[in-house]
Amino acid sequence: MKKLVFPFIAALMLNLNTQAQLPADSGKIDPSLKGQYEFMLSRSKTLNGYKLVNPNRLSILWKNAGDSLRNERRQLSTAKQKIAEQEKNIATLNKQITGTESSLASSQARLDEISFLGIPFSKSTYNMIVWTLIIILTLALVIVILRSAKHIHEAKYRSGLYEEIAQEYQAYKVKANEKEKKLARELQDERNKLDELNKR
């Protein structure tokens, strides 16, 4: 019984002693929980290997720990709400980005597509077809021009030959006509001579 009374009296005296010293030391206390805990341990006395803690300081530490936990939980709840809102925003933004990317891809496909005679072509295919047609038509035109030039040259050559033949024929006709006339005159002369001879 004496052993129980002695620690109780010692604890009571310590409590009164620490309450008297608290206002003087309160300016030096670290306001964090760790600081308050260390302050409480530094102000407690050791008796028979046990720490005698001021119940008032312990209740203040407990109250501060509860306040800190409530504050942390409130901040955690707020942070979770913010994270949930940000996740919603991220999901919405991802949907918008997906929609924008798909519309951009379709717009790009429409920009890269050319419709010719109702048939859709990509620009590269259309350009390749157009340039192939242009090259083929240019080659065909060059071939036609070269052949036409050859035919024109041949026609001029044949026309020149025809002109020569026509001139020779005209000259032959003129000579033949003169010869015919000459022969007709000679024939007439001979007839005239024959008629004169017959008249005698």
Side-chain angles (χ1 to χ4, degrees):
M1 180 86 170
K2 287 183 180 178
K3 286 184 180 179
L4 289 175
V5 173
F6 182 69
F8 179 72
I9 294 173
L12 188 62
M13 288 180 69
L14 277 173
N15 188 13
L16 292 174
N17 188 18
T18 53
Q19 283 180 358
Q21 291 178 359
L22 185 62
D25 293 336
S26 61
K28 300 175 185 177
I29 299 174
D30 182 6
S32 68
L33 288 175
K34 183 180 178 185
Q36 292 177 24
Y37 175 73
E38 288 173 355
F39 178 76
M40 184 181 67
L41 286 181
S42 68
R43 294 295 180 195
S44 62
K45 303 280 187 202
T46 304
L47 183 68
N48 295 332
Y50 297 105
K51 281 281 190 185
L52 299 175
V53 177
N54 183 347
N56 189 27
R57 284 195 188 122
L58 187 59
S59 64
I60 290 172
L61 180 65
W62 179 257
K63 180 180 173 286
N64 290 342
D67 291 344
S68 295
L69 280 174
R70 278 191 292 280
N71 190 24
E72 291 295 324
R73 286 178 184 148
R74 190 169 45 252
Q75 288 178 359
L76 180 63
S77 173
T78 306
K80 282 182 179 177
Q81 287 176 354
K82 283 183 181 178
I83 288 171
E85 289 174 7
Q86 288 176 353
E87 284 176 351
K88 286 180 185 176
N89 289 339
I90 288 169
T92 305
L93 290 173
N94 282 336
K95 285 180 185 175
Q96 289 176 356
I97 288 170
T98 305
T100 305
E101 284 176 349
S102 63
S103 65
L104 180 64
S106 63
S107 298
Q108 190 69 32
R110 268 188 262 121
L111 283 175
D112 287 341
E113 188 177 277
I114 294 174
S115 182
F116 181 70
L117 299 174
I119 303 168
F121 294 102
S122 67
K123 280 187 179 179
S124 58
T125 307
Y126 178 78
N127 286 337
M128 189 178 71
I129 290 170
V130 167
W131 282 108
T132 304
L133 287 175
I134 288 171
I135 290 170
I136 290 170
L137 291 175
T138 303
L139 288 173
L141 182 63
V142 167
I143 291 169
V144 167
I145 289 171
L146 290 175
R147 284 193 175 182
S148 297
K150 184 179 177 184
H151 291 309
I152 289 169
H153 179 69
E154 185 72 22
K156 282 182 182 177
Y157 174 70
R158 300 280 178 194
S159 179
L161 285 178
Y162 175 76
E163 287 293 322
E164 281 182 32
I165 292 171
Q167 286 174 2
E168 285 179 11
Y169 179 69
Q170 280 297 95
Y172 173 75
K173 257 175 93 178
V174 169
K175 283 182 186 178
N177 197 8
E178 287 176 4
K179 199 174 188 182
E180 188 181 330
K181 285 180 183 176
K182 185 179 174 186
L183 285 173
R185 269 186 259 129
E186 287 179 1
L187 183 61
Q188 191 63 38
D189 286 344
E190 290 297 323
R191 280 184 186 161
N192 287 344
K193 285 180 187 177
L194 187 64
D195 283 342
E196 282 179 17
L197 285 176
N198 285 336
K199 285 180 185 177
R200 282 185 193 172

